[in-house]
Amino acid sequence: MSSEKVYIFDTTLRDGEQSPGATMNTEEKKRLARQLDSLGVDVIEAGFPAASEGDFEAVREIANIVEHAQIAALCRATDADIDRGWDAIKGAKYPRIHTFLATSDIHMRHKLGMSREEVIAAVKKAVSRARGYTHNVEFSAEDASRSDWEFLRQVVETAIEAGATTINIPDTVGYAQPEEFADLIRYLRESVKNIDKAVISVHCHNDLGLATANTLAALRAGARQVEVTLCGIGERAGNAALEEVVMALHVRESYYGLKTDIKKEILYPACRLLSMIIGMPIPAYKAIIGGNAFAHEAGIHQHGIIQNRLTYEIMTPQSIGRPPSELVLGKHSGRHACKQQLDSLGYKLSPEQLELVFEAVKRLADKKKQIFLEDLEALVLEEVYRIPDKYKLKYLCSISGNMAIPTATLKMEVDGHDEQISEFGVGPVDAVFNAISKLVGRHPKLLRFSINAITGGTDAQGEVTVKLEESSKTAIGRGSDPDIIVASAKAYINALNRLARKQEDKVWARV
Ligand code: KIV
Ligand code: ZN
């Protein structure tokens, strides 16, 4: 029997981007949207256009560049949000309006101050307004898993009657348990009289670590769209992870009888791209994509693996696009080899961007003998996907040691003008951060500093992540370089640029 299709609705750029520290700029969002499109997701939720001018612009630009996937805009159930949402996505090949309203007693009473009757009327009005723009309308009953089932039935029936073609049942606070959630989906399939006119979707949060389990249970009960994010990022403990749901359906296809159109062999590069953009490393123990997911430490396991990989491996690293860390480029590699490797990673660069990366490869090859795929990815992010910055590092000299006072001398470009400074610190990184913050006249609090070697070897590039806080806004910055002090400076400046942009982007609303 052939497997039935499950629609993958990716909300990395909306729910995922709402997760603390995962803010992306428009260029980064566009890059990720292209990658999601190549990955084969069916719907990309590009953002919440009514949230701010910046969110609107990012959704509009994504809508204009994505070739295959549908582009959804999240809108509250108000005329203003729906009009604004439509304005942002009307240039998309396949636009979708996604409107939502809470249906649980606790949300209706304390958040909305609305009665059940008022909620039903608002759902009808919002979905009808959205239908005036497009036939592709999704309605979400926020906090559905804590809603009264009979009332939820009425809301869903109303939304479908008004023209919704997808009905999303979120477990907004990650409260549901797998069997209970599956029962709710079955109840709706059996009791909503017009349910055959809509696809049932689920959107599960991970507060109790059950997002993937609840999503899969709902699919067994008849849901056919899942709302997921790369690496499971999202509000609080996150959303169901795209790679987990997709690989569970794939590895256990005979159990589920379901399939997706995801190109599994680029799952890992897609997750890695996200992690590099938001500056959060993938935890080693993360299912499917973590550094340890295919590592075998225990002697008995290693023995089994040597005899037959199937003893301890239910999928291969290659099936999700994890190449063995191989040398890819060196000092004598040409432009053509560089382009080939970038193509294999799924990067489609213009000739000018390719030239930038190629020049950076040559600079790196002078310092480091072997350049690996991970190094190449880091260079693409440094050279191509960095937004035009307010602050740029031009030169850095750092002195440290057990007989020296750590000192940093640096030159930076600030809004197009060169400025230089020297400062001391308790260590070289402290000296660099003191110098930068004095030069730019900002004194953010350093909340986090972490450093990873991108590859093995003492000449590996260091990848530094910092988290800064200023005027109750936070931003994460990333920088890589074979010199960890330079990498630290780049990361600090990257975070300052993000903070500056956040302060410029006026926020109008939050989901
Ligand atoms: O978690 C949630 O309920 C949501 C909705 C807006 C779909 O993110
Ligand atoms: Zn959510």
Side-chain angles (χ1 to χ4, degrees), residues 248-312:
L249 294 180
H250 175 65
V251 171
R252 303 300 310 273
E253 187 174 346
S254 57
Y255 176 73
Y256 287 103
L258 298 171
K259 63 175 177 8
T260 70
D261 286 340
I262 294 297
K263 296 190 184 65
K264 291 163 268 310
E265 60 292 349
I266 49 175
L267 272 174
Y268 179 71
C271 291
R272 174 86 183 126
L273 176 68
L274 171 72
S275 132
M276 290 182 61
I277 288 178
I278 62 176
M280 289 191 204
I282 299 171
Y285 46 79
K286 170 76 185 65
I288 320 284
I289 50 165
N292 289 353
F294 294 93
H296 303 279
E297 186 78 19
I300 297 176
H301 290 207
Q302 286 177 349
H303 179 71
I305 283 282
I306 291 164
Q307 303 303 316
N308 183 336
R309 299 200 74 82
L310 293 178
T311 51
Y312 286 99

Side-chain angles (χ1 to χ4, degrees), residues 14-15 74 98 100 140 142 168 170 172 203 205 511:
R14 200 278 299 168
D15 212 319
L74 185 71
H98 176 194
F100 73 99
S140 283
E142 192 189 9
N168 185 37
T172 301
H203 172 118
H205 279 271
V511 177

Side-chain angles (χ1 to χ4, degrees), residues 32-41 44 66-69 263:
L32 199 59
R34 283 204 184 91
Q35 182 83 9
L36 289 167
D37 204 24
S38 310
L39 186 63
V41 307
I44 296 173
V66 166
E67 291 175 32
H68 310 288
K263 296 190 184 65

Side-chain angles (χ1 to χ4, degrees), residues 308-415:
N308 183 336
R309 299 200 74 82
L310 293 178
T311 51
Y312 286 99
E313 259 181 25
I314 57 169
M315 59 198 147
T316 63
Q318 292 79 6
S319 68
I320 57 149
R322 287 181 70 145
S325 228
E326 269 171 5
L327 169 69
V328 288
L329 294 169
K331 207 176 170 63
H332 302 294
S333 309
R335 274 181 190 74
H336 186 68
C338 183
K339 179 169 174 356
Q340 256 185 349
Q341 297 297 349
L342 289 166
D343 286 348
S344 80
L345 287 169
Y347 292 110
K348 293 189 192 101
L349 303 186
S350 68
E352 297 75 41
Q353 291 173 327
L354 186 65
E355 196 54 32
L356 279 174
V357 176
F358 182 61
E359 288 304 322
V361 166
K362 284 206 300 198
R363 283 198 301 277
L364 183 62
D366 279 339
K367 300 181 194 163
K368 185 175 189 285
K369 271 198 230 113
Q370 304 174 323
I371 297 184
F372 298 92
L373 282 175
E374 293 91 334
D375 291 316
L376 198 56
E377 280 183 311
L379 291 181
V380 174
L381 269 143
E382 292 278 340
E383 300 298 325
V384 180
Y385 295 114
R386 272 278 144 92
I387 20 90
D389 284 334
K390 184 176 173 69
Y391 310 119
K392 272 189 207 145
L393 180 68
K394 299 201 83 174
Y395 160 95
L396 167 63
C397 170
S398 142
I399 299 170
S400 67
N402 65 352
M403 296 292 277
I405 298 176
T407 312
T409 301
L410 53 87
K411 187 190 263 187
M412 282 176 63
E413 191 181 300
V414 179
D415 288 326

